Amino acid sequence: SAVISQKPSRDICQRGTSLTIQCQVDSQVTMMFWYRQQPGQSLTLIATANQGSEATYESGFVIDKFPISRPNLTFSTLTVSNMSPEDSSIYLCSVEAQGLREKLFFGSGTQLSVL
Amino acid sequence: QQQVKQSPQSLIVQKGGISIINCAYENTAFDYFPWYQQFPGKGPALLIAIRPDVSEKKEGRFTISFNKSAKQFSLHIMDSQPGDSATYFCAAKQGAQKLVFGQGTRLTINP
């Protein structure tokens, strides 16, 4: 199994500011995923982060709004830029289990509220 | 085509009862169907999964029933316990493509 530490666990931010969320994994992983979970909604994949290359963004998500860093095989950050109240959501970091491509492990998430 | 539709949105079951959550899909190329369980303040965790070559998979009190012709699959929780109270997500995947999640079901087990 993989242990994922995500921080901050929650934050309240002002409109127009940016927040960087950190994700640390206890083992080396090839791909890391960032999801958004809006209140009472499903999980939506924002982007896939590979070490050494640019992140791949899903439709509806752009790098200017959600820049991602992946400096090594155990760490990634997601920045939510120029925030608006519509960005209020839970942001989740996820990795695939080693050798089990279908099994995802998730961090505990970052609860973001934008005022 | 890529959607997975989950119902009900919320469910209340008495302790000891059977909880049933349903999911439907359109993409016949989906080949992996997991269920995730999420407790408040935690990320989702894989509960049980099935592939379309079997019609049922059981792990303890949790069973997935899969109906390929109807393009539906469901999660059954037998002898439901208050500790099962959580949000449950079904999902589906095609090959190496991303998981597509259902909308989630908030399950409450009353003692």
Side-chain angles (χ1 to χ4, degrees):
Chain A
S1 64
V3 177
I4 302 173
S5 300
Q6 192 174 332
K7 57 182 180 182
S9 58
R10 59 177 64 237
D11 207 340
I12 300 173
C13 300
Q14 294 297 319
R15 181 195 298 259
T17 62
S18 298
L19 175 72
T20 295
I21 302 167
Q22 299 180 5
C23 179
Q24 179 76 51
V25 189
D26 68 341
S27 58
Q28 293 185 339
V29 293
T30 304
M31 289 192 286
M32 296 177 76
F33 307 94
W34 287 98
Y35 282 84
R36 182 173 74 183
Q37 184 177 17
Q38 293 178 303
Q41 301 287 320
S42 185
L43 294 98
T44 302
L45 181 63
I46 297 172
T48 301
N50 291 318
Q51 193 266 337
S53 63
E54 274 201 13
T56 303
Y57 289 82
E58 297 296 311
S59 175
F61 298 96
V62 294
I63 187 170
D64 289 347
K65 176 68 176 178
F66 297 100
I68 288 171
S69 78
R70 183 77 200 275
N72 56 53
L73 290 173
T74 64
F75 187 79
S76 177
T77 67
L78 170 76
T79 299
V80 186
S81 303
N82 188 24
M83 289 184 285
S84 67
E86 293 70 36
D87 295 319
S88 296
S89 188
I90 298 173
Y91 292 85
L92 293 155
C93 171
S94 175
V95 302
E96 289 179 334
Q98 281 265 353
L100 292 171
R101 289 212 64 195
E102 289 117 351
K103 183 169 185 176
L104 293 180
F105 293 101
F106 286 86
S108 293
T110 297
Q111 172 95 52
L112 171 62
S113 297
V114 183
L115 305 178
Chain B
Q1 183 102 14
Q2 285 297 103
Q3 282 186 329
V4 178
K5 295 183 179 178
Q6 183 172 347
S7 63
Q9 193 170 11
S10 63
L11 179 63
I12 300 174
V13 176
Q14 291 298 117
K15 179 183 174 182
I18 302 173
S19 303
I20 302 174
I21 305 170
N22 301 298
C23 284
Y25 63 96
E26 288 296 322
N27 184 356
T28 55
F30 283 147
D31 55 11
Y32 178 72
F33 301 88
W35 284 88
Y36 280 78
Q37 179 188 54
Q38 184 180 27
F39 293 107
K42 300 292 184 185
L46 180 64
L47 185 63
I48 187 172
I50 198 168
R51 297 192 186 279
D53 53 346
V54 297
S55 59
E56 186 175 281
K57 183 173 182 180
K58 185 175 181 180
E59 290 185 3
R61 295 184 295 108
F62 300 91
T63 299
I64 298 180
S65 296
F66 186 82
N67 186 330
K68 190 172 182 178
S69 60
K71 292 184 283 187
Q72 294 175 348
F73 59 109
S74 59
L75 176 69
H76 296 237
I77 305 174
M78 311 300 288
D79 186 28
S80 299
Q81 299 297 312
D84 297 329
S85 296
T87 299
Y88 292 82
F89 292 95
C90 64
K93 195 172 191 278
Q94 175 187 348
Q97 296 187 22
K98 67 179 182 179
L99 267 175
V100 178
F101 285 90
Q103 294 81 1
T105 296
R106 186 176 225 169
L107 175 64
T108 302
I109 308 299
N110 283 336

